[in-house]
Amino acid sequence: MLIRSRRAHDIATAEITPESTYLRRREILATALTGVATLAFGGARDARGATTPKPPELGPIIESPYSASEEPTSYDSVTQYNNFYEFGTAKEDPAVQAASFQPKPWSVLLKGRLKKPGSVPLETFLEGHALEERIYRFRCVETWSMVVPWVGIPLGDILKRFEPDEDAKFVEFRTLYDPERMPGQKRQTLEWPYREGLRMDEAMHPLTILAVGLYGRELPNQNGAPLRLIVPWKYGFKSIKSITEIRLRTRAPQTTWSEMAPNEYGFFANVNPEVDHPRWSQKRERRLGDFLRRPTSKFNGYADEVASLYAGMDLSKDY
Ligand code: MTE
């Protein structure tokens, strides 16, 4: 088993890594992984050769007991091979086209079936929640995957603060809609804004987090600054970026990709090597940085934790 079941709030204060130790550890890790000294803290070069400064460091950060014990993918790969159609459709586009995006100030609108709705500045939204680093496997619907040290907060802990009603059965998420700041929205590549959804039990599952950073730093714009979802047992498209709206609903929301191509992308989107995408097999994946492909695991390797959520369902129909 890759994930221990101890809950984050059981962690004693003494186990919280002091920032200096944490950053030193990260620095050593970054250098060891890449073998390139400039990556340690000098900013990275994007695919077109431009230097993009790294975002500010976050801290203090708790090491999460939910982490996978796998070697993280390099910072460069995680931040330069992205899907973020608001900033272009090629994998190299977001690192370049999102470079001048300003994710601050930011607020999140909470609405629908909860007792305490409202628009909340990001700082207030996160207040009182400890930041955790969780090293999660991340598998995109196309055939690549990575292992990312995300920094985030369990979504369920945050939602509870806004007191969901009993009839809240689904959560809908929306990305910022602002074509001036997100130029890809001027083209009809997708129905804007990008929308995603989870069933309430999926949203409350402790593996589901809202991420505000990676590799100990604030989220780079191309990875969904300042706030994005991470659902590690689902294909990457569920992990919606730059969220401005969270709505609790009684019925399943429409989601961007299942609306665009319902025969290719379902609402659940659980990583499932047994169900092929109509245009390619989902049986194998290539971890960024690797040459050879490896077999894909059901639920992205998180079956022990989440398979019970889908007991009795036919996952070839509810894909
Ligand atoms: N969120 C928004 N708003 N727009 C997008 O185009 N792409 C999704 C998801 N979230 C996307 C998004 C897809 S298809 C994937 S695979 C992941 O983001 C990629 O996340 P990454 O760039 O951090 O690897």
Side-chain angles (χ1 to χ4, degrees), residues 86-87 97-106 176-186 225-226 244:
E86 287 83 340
F87 295 104
Q97 293 186 24
S100 57
F101 178 71
Q102 293 294 337
K104 291 176 186 170
W106 194 267
L176 173 71
Y177 179 66
D178 187 341
E180 292 312 313
R181 293 167 70 195
M182 294 185 150
Q185 291 176 338
K186 290 179 181 164
T244 50

Side-chain angles (χ1 to χ4, degrees), residues 82-86 140 146 175 194 223 228 236 239 241:
N82 300 103
N83 268 345
F84 199 172
Y85 277 33
E86 287 83 340
C140 287
M146 44 196 160
T175 292
Y194 197 99
N223 293 92
R228 67 157 319 156
S239 292
K241 298 177 170 180

Side-chain angles (χ1 to χ4, degrees), residues 26-272:
R26 275 278 151 256
E27 196 167 4
I28 292 162
L29 185 64
T31 313
L33 286 175
T34 60
V36 183
T38 51
L39 284 181
F41 277 93
R45 277 184 186 279
D46 66 33
R48 294 173 199 189
T51 308
T52 24
K54 287 185 173 180
E57 290 154 4
L58 286 163
I61 301 169
I62 296 170
E63 279 183 59
S64 172
Y66 291 99
S67 286
S69 53
E70 283 168 68
E71 189 178 283
T73 305
S74 77
Y75 180 90
D76 264 12
S77 296
V78 172
T79 59
Q80 290 178 38
Y81 193 81
N82 300 103
N83 268 345
F84 199 172
Y85 277 33
E86 287 83 340
F87 295 104
T89 51
K91 309 285 179 250
E92 298 77 22
D93 286 342
V96 178
Q97 293 186 24
S100 57
F101 178 71
Q102 293 294 337
K104 291 176 186 170
W106 194 267
S107 55
V108 184
L109 177 62
L110 276 298
K111 58 196 260 193
R113 300 292 176 162
L114 23 80
K115 295 188 183 70
K116 294 183 172 169
S119 176
V120 188
L122 185 64
E123 299 69 34
T124 318
F125 185 71
L126 303 176
E127 218 167 58
H129 299 280
L131 291 182
E132 280 179 51
E133 184 186 73
R134 295 174 168 222
I135 302 177
Y136 276 171
R137 284 178 295 274
F138 192 67
R139 164 71 151 86
C140 287
V141 73
E142 292 153 88
T143 51
W144 83 89
S145 67
M146 44 196 160
V147 177
V148 185
W150 300 107
V151 180
I153 295 162
L155 171 65
D157 291 354
I158 293 199
L159 289 181
K160 277 182 210 151
R161 250 180 51 201
F162 299 92
E163 299 184 17
D165 286 346
E166 271 165 25
D167 54 358
K169 302 282 184 259
F170 291 89
V171 188
E172 178 181 354
F173 305 85
R174 286 176 183 237
T175 292
L176 173 71
Y177 179 66
D178 187 341
E180 292 312 313
R181 293 167 70 195
M182 294 185 150
Q185 291 176 338
K186 290 179 181 164
R187 292 183 292 276
Q188 281 304 307
T189 40
L190 296 176
E191 286 283 325
W192 309 112
Y194 197 99
R195 281 152 295 133
E196 257 311 333
L198 293 174
R199 218 170 52 187
M200 199 63 187
D201 56 348
E202 299 175 322
M204 302 307 284
H205 193 281
L207 285 179
T208 304
I209 59 168
L210 284 175
V212 295
L214 53 82
Y215 266 103
R217 292 172 176 268
E218 289 179 13
L219 275 181
N221 291 339
Q222 60 268 35
N223 293 92
L227 184 75
R228 67 157 319 156
L229 186 68
I230 298 295
V231 197
W233 70 94
K234 293 179 181 281
Y235 290 115
F237 68 89
K238 297 296 282 183
S239 292
I240 180 173
K241 298 177 170 180
S242 305
I243 298 167
T244 50
E245 206 178 293
I246 299 179
R247 179 177 174 191
L248 273 66
R249 309 176 49 126
T250 51
R251 290 206 304 216
Q254 188 61 265
T255 63
T256 296
W257 285 103
S258 59
E259 190 177 46
M260 283 279 291
N263 60 328
E264 299 191 18
Y265 308 104
F267 178 82
F268 286 98
N270 294 315
V271 173
N272 191 349

